[in-house]
Amino acid sequence: MTFHKRSLAGAIAATLFVAGSAQAQMSDEAVRIGYLADMSGTYRDLAGPGGLEALNMAIEDFGGEVSGVPIEVFSADDRNSADVGANTVRGWIDQQNVDLVAGMVASSVSIAVTKALEEANGLAIISGSAASSITNEHCTPNHIHWVYDTYPLANGTAKAVVEQGGDRWFMLTADYAFGHALEGDVTQVVEENGGEVVGGVRHPFPTSDFSSYILQAQGSGADIVGLANAGSDTVNAIKTASQFGLTQAGQQLAGLLIFLNDVHAMGLESTQGLLLTTGWYWDMDEQSREWAERYFERVGRMPTMVQAGVYSSTLHYLNAVQAAGTDEPEAVRAQMAETPVEDFFARNGRIREDGRMVHDMYLAEVKSPAESSGEWDLYEIKSTIPADQAYRPLSESQCDLVNQ
């Protein structure tokens, strides 16, 4: 029987089992979580060791065990390699009996890992990756996509920029799954709102020298240079654009995936006025501030939306394991999907049948130095993008799990 056909049967069986027994059924008398992320490279600061610390916070806050069995954590550096990531996860499943894979940043790694998990009947919650294809053409019944993806990034930032008059775009794109997805989503939004993509170039991932790419952008005649990259690639591109006087000459940068750590690293002098879309911000309300301040005490810096999402998704998973009375993947995923997500991270959150956790997103603007009251006071939230408007509609989905 295929996993797709087993999903409903497994969930029903688990429900009947819980109803008939108070004794939790945990494989190997433990719940095991593997945290997989870029721990040393381009994406280290947006997830990395800080995401592992957030995961450990969630486990501690949950009590360190589920229904009397311990929660064990493994971690590994995927080095932004799909092969390394997939082989690590296969080893975890075969040798450590890992129940959940968490973290994951590079979209190419996540796609490879989820295919391995589908073959092995495992489960993943992806918090760091951006490609919307992860729950579109690459969806599986074995993973959930938690924090954000390229669709609301384009829907938020690109639409806002076009509405302000920036209708001629040049795309500077990271040449792998995430960059391609973001470029495609931005192009669709720009064109649907009356704009035009007049040119573009794709750069290797990662890249340190953006000189030739910025020169091409300057010669394109575009009003807006859209950065369809992330992490140190985005930082290097913005720094190079500044050195070449791109904005001084009248063009504008649109950072399509900007993280808190990027703005902090570059400083408000370089980034003030930048519009961005985010899934969460540490200072957006009292709930967010309370958790972020606890995180800051442990790590010494404010969390990114990915790190906050790792905590949120881990806690949601552990609550589902406890409620289902088992760590069996189909039953846990079904329980997670039945339970609304409403916490310090997510507002109006729910897990759709394609595995996308939809929740409110936010259009933010980077403050000027004069507007900022402290080192981490970096964003002003300009508007909320409601959950039911932020993400790709299911009516446009290519996911095989939709309307089965």
Side-chain angles (χ1 to χ4, degrees):
M1 186 182 296
T2 66
F3 188 95
H4 288 234
K5 292 178 180 177
R6 291 202 314 266
S7 295
L8 180 58
I12 293 171
T15 302
L16 292 173
F17 174 82
V18 173
S21 173
Q23 179 65 39
Q25 294 295 300
M26 306 298 171
S27 58
D28 306 297
E29 298 183 348
V31 172
R32 296 187 171 98
I33 301 174
Y35 176 80
L36 183 70
D38 175 5
M39 302 292 273
S40 57
T42 303
Y43 298 147
R44 182 185 189 279
D45 289 341
L46 66 90
L52 180 59
E53 191 67 24
L55 185 146
N56 285 324
M57 284 177 66
I59 292 170
E60 290 171 19
D61 289 348
F62 192 78
E65 61 179 34
V66 184
S67 300
V69 303
I71 303 165
E72 299 176 359
V73 176
F74 301 85
S75 65
D77 187 344
D78 61 30
R79 304 202 296 274
N80 292 315
S81 164
D83 288 341
V84 170
N87 289 334
T88 297
V89 168
R90 289 190 186 100
W92 277 346
I93 291 171
D94 293 342
Q95 298 164 29
Q96 277 84 32
N97 298 312
V98 162
D99 301 296
L100 172 73
V101 179
M104 286 177 287
V105 183
S107 296
S108 53
V109 174
S110 294
I111 291 167
V113 165
T114 56
K115 291 184 185 303
L117 287 169
E118 186 174 22
E119 294 169 3
N121 188 18
L123 183 63
I125 306 176
I126 299 164
S127 292
S129 299
S132 60
S133 62
I134 288 170
T135 53
N136 197 31
E137 61 264 37
H138 296 300
C139 75
T140 77
N142 300 81
H143 71 272
I144 294 166
H145 200 177
W146 201 262
V147 176
Y148 68 106
D149 65 42
T150 54
Y151 192 93
L153 297 178
N155 228 9
T157 308
K159 184 176 181 181
V161 171
V162 173
E163 287 176 348
Q164 292 181 5
D167 55 4
R168 288 174 57 81
W169 285 63
F170 180 94
M171 296 300 302
L172 180 55
T173 302
D175 193 11
Y176 76 108
F178 146 66
H180 301 170
L182 185 51
E183 179 187 272
D185 287 338
V186 167
T187 298
Q188 180 180 341
V189 169
V190 168
E191 292 176 349
E192 285 178 351
N193 286 274
E196 177 187 7
V197 176
V198 299
V201 63
R202 291 177 174 178
H203 66 81
F205 166 75
T207 293
S208 57
D209 185 359
F210 279 85
S211 302
S212 65
Y213 308 122
I214 295 300
L215 287 172
Q216 289 180 63
Q218 287 180 310
S220 68
D223 306 311
I224 307 296
V225 179
L227 304 179
N229 50 23
S232 62
D233 282 342
T234 300
V235 172
N236 289 333
I238 291 173
K239 287 180 177 178
T240 304
S242 177
Q243 292 165 3
F244 279 62
L246 185 142
T247 55
Q248 294 90 329
Q251 290 176 299
Q252 182 181 352
L253 288 171
L256 297 162
L257 181 51
I258 299 289
F259 290 94
L260 189 74
N261 57 285
D262 300 327
V263 174
H264 183 263
M266 290 183 285
L268 296 181
E269 283 288 352
S270 300
T271 57
Q272 59 184 308
L274 191 67
L275 287 172
L276 58 98
T277 302
T278 187
W280 181 83
Y281 176 51
W282 74 268
D283 197 24
M284 66 185 194
D285 58 28
E286 189 57 39
Q287 269 188 294
S288 296
R289 282 189 290 274
E290 187 277 331
W291 183 83
E293 286 163 4
R294 286 203 297 128
Y295 179 93
F296 184 87
E297 289 174 3
R298 297 169 68 124
V299 178
R301 56 193 299 128
M302 284 299 178
T304 65
M305 64 171 168
V306 172
Q307 290 155 347
V310 168
Y311 177 100
S312 169
S313 60
T314 301
L315 209 55
H316 194 77
Y317 168 79
L318 293 173
N319 279 315
V321 170
Q322 181 167 273
T326 178
D327 55 11
E328 195 278 325
E330 293 107 321
V332 174
R333 191 184 189 277
Q335 181 66 45
M336 292 178 71
E338 289 171 8
T339 309
V341 186
E342 194 75 34
D343 58 16
F344 81 93
F345 171 80
R347 305 292 183 274
N348 302 307
R350 63 183 178 87
I351 298 168
R352 301 192 310 196
E353 51 264 52
D354 59 355
R356 176 67 257 175
M357 197 280 276
V358 299
H359 59 99
D360 292 351
M361 297 285 289
Y362 306 94
L363 182 68
E365 183 175 351
V366 177
K367 291 184 175 183
S368 69
E371 292 169 327
S372 175
S373 61
E375 180 184 5
W376 293 97
D377 181 24
L378 304 177
Y379 296 173
E380 178 185 353
I381 301 296
K382 305 294 288 186
S383 62
T384 298
I385 308 170
D388 59 356
Q389 298 175 26
Y391 291 89
R392 186 188 309 278
L394 284 176
S395 60
E396 299 177 8
S397 178
Q398 299 175 46
C399 173
D400 292 337
L401 303 175
V402 176
N403 299 321
Q404 280 193 338

